[in-house]
Amino acid sequence: MAEAERIIGTPDTPDATGGGKERPDSEGTPPGEPGNGPAAAPEASGTGEPEATAGRPRGRRRVAVLFAVAAFAYALDLISKMIVVAKLEHHPPIEIVGDWLKFEAIRNAGAAFGFGEAFTVIFTMIAAAVIVVIARLARKLYSLPWAIALGLLLGGALGNLTDRIFRAPGVFEGAVVDFIAPKHFAVFNLADSAIVCGGILIVLLSFRGLDPDGTVHKD
């Protein structure tokens, strides 16, 4: 009888309770540590759910940065154009740094920096396509530098697209308001500046091998 109780064990014996200690998992580590019991169940399942759950908030933060930068660039461009149209259009240029930099209101039917005035509708369609592409790319965005770069592109594209749609001579044919006039250079606006800065940043990120999803590759 004593031999049977020793083999089976009872609630009052060390054999059944593990000597009064918490029973470790199969790998001999305390419960609650990585790779154990209920605390590690999502990792043990092999589904990758913990990583996905941790990645989604990071992705949402990057998307929030993208749209915050875009909204800031768009607001600056829109406000500056409103001031230029109200205060500077049909008035003499304002000299900022002598002849080297002036503020001069110009209506531009072409692309950035006054190129291609005969293709206004095409440039409008390109700007709309850029906005759609950036919006789709945002779903896979996990890189902060890429979020800033795409935000600049998005804000600039929205700024000039607003002019294309709502300004004369008509919808999708509107002339963009330009006003920054450096000496020996084309007249441009803040939307053009945001697009150029975003493009330069994207080139630099590409040279460094950083992808929008946050991965780094080496050629």
Side-chain angles (χ1 to χ4, degrees):
M1 184 68 176
E3 182 67 18
E5 289 181 353
R6 186 185 69 78
I7 295 174
I8 299 174
T10 63
D12 297 328
T13 61
D15 289 333
T17 62
K21 298 179 182 179
E22 292 182 353
R23 185 170 181 247
D25 68 346
S26 58
E27 295 182 1
T29 53
E33 294 294 327
N36 295 322
E43 287 187 0
S45 65
T47 61
E49 290 180 0
E51 294 182 1
T53 303
R56 280 193 293 267
R58 289 198 300 270
R60 286 196 293 265
R61 287 195 292 269
R62 300 301 183 263
V63 173
V65 170
L66 186 156
F67 287 112
V69 172
F72 181 72
Y74 177 71
L76 282 182
D77 179 68
L78 184 63
I79 293 171
S80 66
K81 289 174 179 175
M82 293 173 62
I83 295 173
V84 167
V85 171
K87 303 294 185 180
L88 190 57
E89 199 167 34
H90 308 303
H91 290 79
I94 299 176
E95 294 185 353
I96 305 300
V97 186
D99 292 335
W100 292 97
L101 179 63
K102 298 180 181 180
F103 285 169
E104 181 179 5
I106 300 292
R107 294 294 182 117
N108 173 24
F113 307 112
F115 298 110
E117 294 186 3
F119 303 98
T120 305
V121 175
I122 295 177
F123 293 134
T124 304
M125 295 174 62
I126 292 174
V130 168
I131 294 171
V132 173
V133 170
I134 293 175
R136 292 177 62 87
L137 186 60
R139 296 181 300 175
K140 300 179 180 180
L141 186 64
Y142 289 90
S143 168
L144 180 59
W146 269 95
I148 295 173
L150 293 177
L152 290 171
L153 283 180
L154 181 59
L158 284 172
N160 283 338
L161 184 61
T162 300
D163 284 358
R164 303 290 188 194
I165 295 175
F166 296 105
R167 296 195 186 277
V171 178
F172 300 123
E173 297 181 351
V176 174
V177 176
D178 291 335
F179 63 95
I180 304 174
K183 188 176 182 179
H184 305 309
F185 196 74
V187 184
F188 59 96
N189 57 41
L190 294 182
D192 297 332
S193 301
I195 291 172
V196 170
C197 291
I200 292 174
L201 183 54
I202 287 175
V203 171
L204 294 176
L205 294 174
S206 299
F207 272 119
R208 293 187 58 186
L210 180 62
D211 292 333
D213 61 0
T215 59
V216 179
H217 67 272
K218 294 183 179 179
D219 296 332

